[in-house]
Amino acid sequence: MAAMPTMVFEAGPMEVDVKHVDKSMIPNLAKPLMVVAPKEAGAYPVIVFLHGWNMLNSWYEQLLTHVASHGFIAVAPQLYWMVVSEPDADDIDATKRITNWLADHDKGLAYVLKDVFKLEHVEPDLTKLAIAGHSRGGQTAFAVALGLGDAKTKLELKFSALISVDPVAGVSRAQQLEPKVLTFEPDCLDVGMPVLVMGTGLGPKHIGGFPCAPVGVNHAEFYRECAPPRYHHVVKDYGHLDMLDDNVPYIINNCMCMRNQHNTKDLARRTMGGAMVAFLRAKLRID
Protein backbone atom coordinates (compact mmCIF):
# COMPACT_ATOMS: atom_id res chain seq x y z
CA MET A 1 0.00 0.00 0.00
CA ALA A 2 2.93 2.37 0.53
CA ALA A 3 3.41 2.68 -3.24
CA MET A 4 -0.18 3.77 -3.96
CA PRO A 5 0.41 7.57 -3.97
CA THR A 6 3.05 7.33 -6.74
CA MET A 7 1.03 4.99 -8.95
CA VAL A 8 -0.82 7.96 -10.46
CA PHE A 9 2.42 8.89 -12.23
CA GLU A 10 2.43 5.58 -14.10
CA ALA A 11 -0.04 4.46 -16.76
CA GLY A 12 -3.25 3.28 -15.12
CA PRO A 13 -4.57 -0.27 -15.19
CA MET A 14 -7.29 0.36 -17.78
CA GLU A 15 -6.98 -0.04 -21.53
CA VAL A 16 -8.11 3.11 -23.32
CA ASP A 17 -9.80 3.84 -26.65
CA VAL A 18 -9.72 7.14 -28.57
CA LYS A 19 -12.28 8.30 -31.12
CA HIS A 20 -12.87 11.54 -33.03
CA VAL A 21 -16.48 12.63 -33.45
CA ASP A 22 -17.91 15.40 -35.66
CA LYS A 23 -21.18 16.70 -37.09
CA SER A 24 -21.24 14.06 -39.82
CA MET A 25 -21.76 11.52 -37.02
CA ILE A 26 -23.64 13.66 -34.46
CA PRO A 27 -25.59 16.48 -36.17
CA ASN A 28 -26.30 18.39 -32.93
CA LEU A 29 -22.61 18.59 -31.97
CA ALA A 30 -21.36 22.16 -31.45
CA LYS A 31 -17.70 21.36 -32.23
CA PRO A 32 -15.65 18.33 -33.32
CA LEU A 33 -14.51 16.23 -30.37
CA MET A 34 -11.80 13.83 -29.33
CA VAL A 35 -13.14 11.39 -26.74
CA VAL A 36 -10.76 9.29 -24.66
CA ALA A 37 -12.40 6.55 -22.58
CA PRO A 38 -11.57 3.37 -20.67
CA LYS A 39 -12.68 0.13 -22.32
CA GLU A 40 -13.46 -1.59 -19.02
CA ALA A 41 -17.13 -1.64 -18.00
CA GLY A 42 -18.09 1.01 -15.47
CA ALA A 43 -19.44 4.51 -14.89
CA TYR A 44 -16.64 7.08 -15.04
CA PRO A 45 -16.25 10.77 -14.14
CA VAL A 46 -15.97 13.10 -17.11
CA ILE A 47 -13.42 15.84 -17.86
CA VAL A 48 -14.08 18.52 -20.47
CA PHE A 49 -10.58 19.51 -21.67
CA LEU A 50 -9.95 22.71 -23.67
CA HIS A 51 -6.89 22.99 -25.91
CA GLY A 52 -4.42 25.87 -26.01
CA TRP A 53 -4.12 28.71 -28.54
CA ASN A 54 -3.92 27.32 -32.08
CA MET A 55 -3.38 23.80 -30.79
CA LEU A 56 -5.13 20.68 -32.04
CA ASN A 57 -7.11 18.63 -29.53
CA SER A 58 -5.37 15.52 -30.89
CA TRP A 59 -2.02 16.82 -29.62
CA TYR A 60 -3.20 16.08 -26.06
CA GLU A 61 -4.00 12.43 -26.75
CA GLN A 62 -1.08 11.00 -24.76
CA LEU A 63 -1.74 13.24 -21.74
CA LEU A 64 -5.46 12.45 -21.73
CA THR A 65 -4.80 8.75 -22.31
CA HIS A 66 -2.76 8.75 -19.12
CA VAL A 67 -5.66 10.33 -17.22
CA ALA A 68 -8.28 8.06 -18.81
CA SER A 69 -6.28 4.93 -17.96
CA HIS A 70 -6.96 5.74 -14.29
CA GLY A 71 -10.74 5.67 -14.76
CA PHE A 72 -11.87 8.93 -16.37
CA ILE A 73 -13.53 9.91 -19.64
CA ALA A 74 -11.97 12.94 -21.36
CA VAL A 75 -13.92 15.02 -23.88
CA ALA A 76 -11.71 17.46 -25.80
CA PRO A 77 -13.45 19.79 -28.29
CA GLN A 78 -11.65 21.48 -31.18
CA LEU A 79 -12.79 25.02 -30.44
CA TYR A 80 -11.00 26.73 -33.34
CA TRP A 81 -7.91 26.43 -35.53
CA MET A 82 -5.44 28.97 -36.92
CA VAL A 83 -6.80 32.24 -35.58
CA VAL A 84 -4.57 35.23 -34.85
CA SER A 85 -6.54 36.77 -32.01
CA GLU A 86 -10.23 36.55 -31.18
CA PRO A 87 -12.18 37.26 -27.99
CA ASP A 88 -12.91 34.28 -25.77
CA ALA A 89 -16.72 34.65 -25.88
CA ASP A 90 -17.17 32.15 -28.72
CA ASP A 91 -15.02 29.55 -26.93
CA ILE A 92 -16.96 30.07 -23.72
CA ASP A 93 -20.28 29.57 -25.50
CA ALA A 94 -19.03 26.51 -27.41
CA THR A 95 -17.76 24.96 -24.17
CA LYS A 96 -21.16 25.42 -22.54
CA ARG A 97 -22.93 23.89 -25.53
CA ILE A 98 -20.56 20.90 -25.56
CA THR A 99 -21.06 20.46 -21.82
CA ASN A 100 -24.86 20.52 -22.19
CA TRP A 101 -24.59 18.02 -25.05
CA LEU A 102 -22.94 15.48 -22.75
CA ALA A 103 -26.31 14.77 -21.12
CA ASP A 104 -28.36 14.61 -24.34
CA HIS A 105 -30.59 11.54 -24.04
CA ASP A 106 -30.60 10.70 -27.74
CA LYS A 107 -27.20 11.65 -29.16
CA GLY A 108 -25.09 12.64 -26.14
CA LEU A 109 -21.93 11.16 -24.68
CA ALA A 110 -23.63 7.93 -23.60
CA TYR A 111 -24.69 7.38 -27.23
CA VAL A 112 -21.15 8.00 -28.49
CA LEU A 113 -19.68 5.50 -26.03
CA LYS A 114 -22.20 2.83 -26.99
CA ASP A 115 -22.67 3.38 -30.74
CA VAL A 116 -19.37 4.93 -31.85
CA PHE A 117 -16.93 3.28 -29.44
CA LYS A 118 -19.04 0.08 -29.30
CA LEU A 119 -18.51 -0.03 -25.54
CA GLU A 120 -21.74 -1.54 -24.24
CA HIS A 121 -21.14 -1.11 -20.53
CA VAL A 122 -19.07 2.10 -20.31
CA GLU A 123 -21.12 5.05 -19.08
CA PRO A 124 -20.40 8.69 -18.18
CA ASP A 125 -21.02 9.71 -14.57
CA LEU A 126 -22.06 13.32 -15.07
CA THR A 127 -22.53 13.86 -11.34
CA LYS A 128 -18.72 13.91 -11.25
CA LEU A 129 -17.83 16.46 -13.89
CA ALA A 130 -14.63 18.52 -14.17
CA ILE A 131 -13.46 21.23 -16.54
CA ALA A 132 -9.82 21.60 -17.54
CA GLY A 133 -7.77 23.45 -20.11
CA HIS A 134 -4.26 24.32 -21.22
CA SER A 135 -2.87 27.80 -21.94
CA ARG A 136 -5.70 29.89 -23.44
CA GLY A 137 -7.95 26.90 -22.74
CA GLY A 138 -7.00 27.18 -19.06
CA GLN A 139 -8.21 30.78 -19.11
CA THR A 140 -11.41 29.70 -20.89
CA ALA A 141 -12.04 27.06 -18.22
CA PHE A 142 -11.91 29.79 -15.56
CA ALA A 143 -14.20 32.04 -17.62
CA VAL A 144 -16.80 29.27 -17.96
CA ALA A 145 -16.62 28.47 -14.24
CA LEU A 146 -17.01 32.17 -13.36
CA GLY A 147 -20.02 32.59 -15.66
CA LEU A 148 -18.31 35.15 -17.91
CA GLY A 149 -19.28 35.81 -21.51
CA ASP A 150 -22.74 36.40 -22.91
CA ALA A 151 -25.79 34.57 -21.63
CA LYS A 152 -27.08 33.10 -24.91
CA THR A 153 -26.30 29.57 -23.69
CA LYS A 154 -27.11 28.54 -20.13
CA LEU A 155 -24.89 25.88 -18.56
CA GLU A 156 -27.18 23.00 -17.57
CA LEU A 157 -24.65 20.74 -15.83
CA LYS A 158 -22.57 21.48 -12.75
CA PHE A 159 -18.80 21.27 -12.66
CA SER A 160 -17.25 20.04 -9.40
CA ALA A 161 -13.53 20.63 -10.05
CA LEU A 162 -11.35 22.83 -12.26
CA ILE A 163 -7.83 22.18 -13.58
CA SER A 164 -5.91 24.91 -15.37
CA VAL A 165 -2.70 23.71 -17.05
CA ASP A 166 -0.21 26.58 -17.45
CA PRO A 167 -3.04 29.09 -18.03
CA VAL A 168 -2.38 32.32 -19.94
CA ALA A 169 -4.67 35.35 -19.79
CA GLY A 170 -3.00 37.37 -22.55
CA VAL A 171 0.36 38.77 -23.60
CA SER A 172 0.56 41.20 -20.66
CA ARG A 173 -1.49 42.72 -17.86
CA ALA A 174 -2.52 45.50 -20.23
CA GLN A 175 -3.47 43.08 -23.04
CA GLN A 176 -5.75 40.45 -21.56
CA LEU A 177 -8.07 38.25 -23.55
CA GLU A 178 -11.70 39.40 -23.39
CA PRO A 179 -13.68 38.80 -21.27
CA LYS A 180 -10.99 39.40 -18.67
CA VAL A 181 -10.56 36.83 -15.92
CA LEU A 182 -7.67 38.27 -13.91
CA THR A 183 -8.33 41.26 -11.65
CA PHE A 184 -4.90 41.36 -9.90
CA GLU A 185 -6.50 41.10 -6.48
CA PRO A 186 -5.72 38.09 -4.26
CA ASP A 187 -8.33 35.40 -3.53
CA CYS A 188 -10.96 37.04 -5.76
CA LEU A 189 -11.66 34.26 -8.28
CA ASP A 190 -14.34 32.28 -6.51
CA VAL A 191 -15.42 29.56 -8.92
CA GLY A 192 -17.30 27.59 -6.26
CA MET A 193 -15.18 24.44 -6.61
CA PRO A 194 -11.65 23.20 -5.86
CA VAL A 195 -9.02 24.41 -8.35
CA LEU A 196 -5.69 22.90 -9.38
CA VAL A 197 -3.43 25.41 -11.13
CA MET A 198 -0.46 23.82 -12.87
CA GLY A 199 2.52 25.78 -14.16
CA THR A 200 5.83 25.35 -15.94
CA GLY A 201 9.14 26.85 -14.98
CA LEU A 202 10.19 27.55 -18.58
CA GLY A 203 6.86 29.01 -19.70
CA PRO A 204 7.83 32.62 -18.83
CA LYS A 205 11.10 32.36 -20.80
CA HIS A 206 11.27 33.25 -24.50
CA ILE A 207 13.18 32.01 -27.53
CA GLY A 208 13.18 35.23 -29.50
CA GLY A 209 9.60 36.47 -29.39
CA PHE A 210 6.98 36.77 -26.67
CA PRO A 211 7.17 34.13 -23.92
CA CYS A 212 4.38 31.59 -24.15
CA ALA A 213 3.32 32.13 -20.52
CA PRO A 214 4.27 35.72 -19.63
CA VAL A 215 4.91 36.75 -16.03
CA GLY A 216 1.92 38.58 -14.57
CA VAL A 217 -0.71 36.72 -16.61
CA ASN A 218 0.36 33.11 -16.11
CA HIS A 219 -0.18 30.31 -13.59
CA ALA A 220 1.31 32.22 -10.64
CA GLU A 221 -1.23 35.05 -10.93
CA PHE A 222 -4.14 32.66 -11.52
CA TYR A 223 -3.20 30.77 -8.36
CA ARG A 224 -2.75 33.99 -6.34
CA GLU A 225 -6.21 35.14 -7.34
CA CYS A 226 -7.99 31.82 -6.72
CA ALA A 227 -10.22 31.59 -3.71
CA PRO A 228 -9.61 28.46 -1.60
CA PRO A 229 -9.64 25.52 -1.92
CA ARG A 230 -6.79 25.92 -4.37
CA TYR A 231 -3.68 23.93 -5.23
CA HIS A 232 -0.52 24.89 -7.13
CA HIS A 233 1.76 22.42 -8.92
CA VAL A 234 4.77 23.65 -10.92
CA VAL A 235 7.05 21.50 -13.09
CA LYS A 236 9.99 23.88 -12.99
CA ASP A 237 12.22 22.13 -15.55
CA TYR A 238 9.58 22.00 -18.30
CA GLY A 239 8.09 24.34 -20.85
CA HIS A 240 4.64 25.48 -21.88
CA LEU A 241 4.16 22.78 -24.55
CA ASP A 242 6.15 19.91 -23.07
CA MET A 243 2.99 17.97 -22.17
CA LEU A 244 1.92 17.72 -25.82
CA ASP A 245 2.21 14.49 -27.81
CA ASP A 246 5.55 13.33 -29.19
CA ASN A 247 4.41 13.66 -32.80
CA VAL A 248 3.48 17.37 -32.86
CA PRO A 249 4.99 19.29 -35.80
CA TYR A 250 8.63 20.35 -35.48
CA ILE A 251 7.79 24.05 -35.52
CA ILE A 252 5.35 23.63 -32.62
CA ASN A 253 7.76 21.53 -30.59
CA ASN A 254 10.91 23.56 -31.18
CA CYS A 255 10.16 27.08 -32.38
CA MET A 256 7.26 28.44 -30.31
CA CYS A 257 8.11 28.04 -26.63
CA MET A 258 11.15 27.36 -24.47
CA ARG A 259 11.24 23.63 -23.81
CA ASN A 260 13.14 21.03 -21.85
CA GLN A 261 16.08 19.90 -24.00
CA HIS A 262 16.41 16.36 -22.64
CA ASN A 263 13.60 14.71 -24.64
CA THR A 264 11.69 13.73 -21.52
CA LYS A 265 8.20 14.82 -22.58
CA ASP A 266 6.86 11.51 -21.31
CA LEU A 267 8.03 12.45 -17.81
CA ALA A 268 6.31 15.84 -18.13
CA ARG A 269 3.05 14.19 -19.21
CA ARG A 270 3.18 11.59 -16.45
CA THR A 271 3.98 14.23 -13.84
CA MET A 272 1.19 16.58 -14.88
CA GLY A 273 -1.25 13.79 -15.75
CA GLY A 274 -0.54 12.09 -12.44
CA ALA A 275 -1.23 15.30 -10.52
CA MET A 276 -4.49 15.69 -12.44
CA VAL A 277 -5.52 12.14 -11.52
CA ALA A 278 -4.68 12.60 -7.83
CA PHE A 279 -6.56 15.91 -7.66
CA LEU A 280 -9.63 14.53 -9.43
CA ARG A 281 -9.73 11.42 -7.25
CA ALA A 282 -9.65 13.56 -4.13
CA LYS A 283 -11.97 16.36 -5.16
CA LEU A 284 -14.57 14.29 -7.00
CA ARG A 285 -14.65 12.06 -3.90
CA ILE A 286 -13.47 8.96 -5.71
CA ASP A 287 -10.49 8.21 -3.47
Side-chain angles (χ1 to χ4, degrees), residues 117-133:
F117 279 77
K118 306 301 181 184
L119 299 173
E120 287 289 337
H121 303 293
V122 174
E123 299 177 354
D125 183 354
L126 296 177
T127 67
K128 296 175 180 177
L129 181 63
I131 186 168

Side-chain angles (χ1 to χ4, degrees), residues 148-204:
L148 302 182
D150 60 50
K152 63 182 179 182
T153 301
K154 181 181 178 181
L155 192 62
E156 297 171 0
L157 297 178
K158 178 180 173 59
F159 290 111
S160 299
L162 188 156
I163 300 174
S164 197
V165 181
D166 219 16
V168 178
V171 297
S172 69
R173 288 190 173 210
Q175 293 179 278
Q176 279 197 72
L177 191 65
E178 296 286 350
K180 296 176 182 177
V181 168
L182 297 179
T183 65
F184 308 108
E185 296 292 334
D187 306 337
C188 62
L189 299 182
D190 187 359
V191 298
M193 68 189 85
V195 178
L196 171 63
V197 178
M198 308 179 76
T200 60
L202 301 182

Side-chain angles (χ1 to χ4, degrees), residues 104-125:
D104 188 286
H105 292 297
D106 295 322
K107 296 284 187 176
L109 181 56
Y111 169 84
V112 167
L113 292 170
K114 182 178 180 181
D115 286 64
V116 178
F117 279 77
K118 306 301 181 184
L119 299 173
E120 287 289 337
H121 303 293
V122 174
E123 299 177 354
D125 183 354

Side-chain angles (χ1 to χ4, degrees), residues 220-282:
E221 185 61 28
F222 276 90
Y223 175 72
R224 188 179 81 91
E225 296 190 24
C226 275
R230 60 184 181 178
Y231 305 86
H232 198 196
H233 175 72
V234 181
V235 286
K236 64 180 183 178
D237 296 327
Y238 288 90
H240 188 63
L241 303 180
D242 281 348
M243 77 294 296
L244 297 182
D245 286 3
D246 292 329
N247 62 350
V248 298
Y250 179 90
I251 192 170
I252 300 294
N253 196 47
N254 295 280
C255 304
M256 287 185 62
C257 305
M258 182 72 74
R259 68 178 181 89
N260 185 287
Q261 298 294 321
H262 299 293
N263 294 318
T264 52
K265 289 177 71 174
D266 177 65
L267 183 59
R269 285 190 296 265
R270 290 193 290 113
T271 301
M272 302 182 88
M276 292 170 68
V277 170
F279 172 77
L280 291 169
R281 281 182 175 175

